[in-house]
Amino acid sequence: MTAERSDTLPVADEHGELQGVVTAADIEQALNEARQGLTASALVHPAPELRANQPIADAIAALAAGNDDGVPVLAPDRQEPVGWLTHRQLLRAMRS
């Protein structure tokens, strides 16, 4: 999370399919509760779906629907995450 400079990141399974997202707060809570053997998939919560080929209006709606700092961007025809869209990136794109 530090390397990505994000409080939320997508979690994919062994097949590369999106399972949801995990937040820094989720991880912090698990560490504070000393839950040993916990995996990222146990901390996952659902995220709005946004496909790489969807219009910008859908991206705005997905960002507004979530409570996280961004949303995973999925391949047009698979549940595979291909990117991460933040509010800041969206505003930059709209300004260009």
Side-chain angles (χ1 to χ4, degrees), residues 40-70:
S41 63
L43 300 176
V44 166
H45 62 272
E49 279 200 12
L50 178 64
R51 302 275 171 191
N53 60 346
Q54 287 183 265
I56 202 84
D58 292 348
I60 294 168
L63 283 166
N67 293 324
D68 302 314
D69 64 350

Side-chain angles (χ1 to χ4, degrees), residues 5-16:
R5 298 168 72 178
S6 179
D7 289 335
T8 310
L9 291 176
V11 176
D13 66 13
E14 64 274 5
H15 305 290

Side-chain angles (χ1 to χ4, degrees), residues 15-18 49-54 71-84:
H15 305 290
E17 293 187 0
L18 181 71
E49 279 200 12
L50 178 64
R51 302 275 171 191
N53 60 346
Q54 287 183 265
V71 294
V73 178
L74 304 176
D77 57 347
R78 297 181 312 282
Q79 286 296 107
E80 177 187 355
V82 295
W84 184 256

Side-chain angles (χ1 to χ4, degrees), residues 1-2 12 22 24-25 27 29 31 34 38 40 44-45 55 57-58 62 71 76-77 80-81 88-90 92 94-95:
M1 289 188 156
T2 305
V22 65
I27 294 169
Q29 181 179 357
L31 290 173
L38 201 58
V44 166
H45 62 272
D58 292 348
V71 294
D77 57 347
E80 177 187 355
R88 183 172 302 221
Q89 290 168 323
L90 179 64
R92 279 190 196 131
M94 292 178 69
R95 217 172 115 189

